[in-house]
Amino acid sequence: MQIGKEYHQKEYLTKDELYQLAHLNSTRSSYHVKKNPARRVEKVTEAAYQLYDDFCRLALYTSLMGIGTPTASAILTSLEPQKHCVIDTRVWATLYNLGYFEQEKESFKPDDYIKIIRIVRKMAAESEYTTAEIGYALFAYDTVHRRGNLH
């Protein structure tokens, strides 16, 4: 959330800040973020900050090396936890097990985030929790109840 606060203040992320967010979300692939030119990271994240459309923001973030939709969702969540949540295989799996989706999924595109966030925002609106908190709860549910391996 601290990185999100700094992002709000200057309206872009530095390469180091983007790496920190990516590393929190995916330690395995975060090193790819370091391959981006620093100025490109600043320009892309600044352009994304100016947009209001979630799909377009995600598409811009994912144009950077090392940033997939789950990490892009973490960026959005750091900016607005009341409106966004971090998505990944576990969140999708919980929603799948609750009957929201017809198949399991392991990789995600911006369209998948839009599908998830509509459901999670509805859940948040019907509860006393933020969208981010609902996302964390869905993740935790799968962690506790999953049978077998994650992948």
Side-chain angles (χ1 to χ4, degrees):
M1 293 305 147
Q2 181 59 35
I3 293 172
K5 187 176 182 180
E6 292 171 20
Y7 191 4
H8 275 303
Q9 290 172 350
K10 59 185 190 310
E11 300 184 359
Y12 66 88
L13 291 169
T14 65
K15 184 174 168 177
D16 287 339
E17 290 167 337
L18 184 64
Y19 173 78
Q20 288 174 38
L21 279 169
H23 192 72
L24 284 171
N25 199 60
S26 176
T27 55
R28 288 181 310 196
S29 63
S30 60
Y31 73 94
H32 291 294
V33 171
K34 293 181 177 183
K35 297 176 184 175
N36 292 293
R39 187 69 184 130
R40 181 178 300 153
V41 169
E42 292 174 7
K43 295 296 277 180
V44 168
T45 59
E46 181 179 35
Y49 187 87
Q50 304 301 321
L51 297 172
Y52 294 101
D53 183 81
D54 293 337
F55 180 88
C56 291
R57 291 170 87 186
L58 289 163
L60 270 174
Y61 291 136
T62 60
S63 72
L64 294 167
M65 287 182 276
I67 305 298
T69 300
T71 301
S73 73
I75 296 168
L76 291 176
T77 304
S78 75
L79 287 171
E80 299 176 282
Q82 68 284 356
K83 186 178 174 189
H84 295 284
C85 73
V86 180
I87 66 142
D88 72 347
T89 303
R90 290 188 181 278
V91 173
W92 183 281
T94 298
L95 292 173
Y96 165 77
N97 287 322
L98 291 172
Y100 286 98
F101 300 121
E102 294 181 14
Q103 63 186 27
E104 293 200 65
K105 197 171 192 73
E106 292 185 11
S107 64
F108 303 94
K109 300 288 184 201
D111 266 337
D112 298 314
Y113 178 80
I114 300 303
K115 291 174 189 173
I116 291 172
I117 201 63
R118 286 184 182 137
I119 297 164
V120 175
R121 285 179 181 156
K122 186 174 187 294
M123 290 175 167
E126 295 170 352
S127 74
E128 58 189 52
Y129 300 102
T130 67
T131 304
E133 290 168 334
I134 297 289
Y136 297 137
L138 293 168
F139 179 95
Y141 182 89
D142 185 70
T143 301
V144 171
H145 296 284
R146 176 174 290 275
R147 293 187 184 152
N149 296 332
L150 183 57
H151 297 287

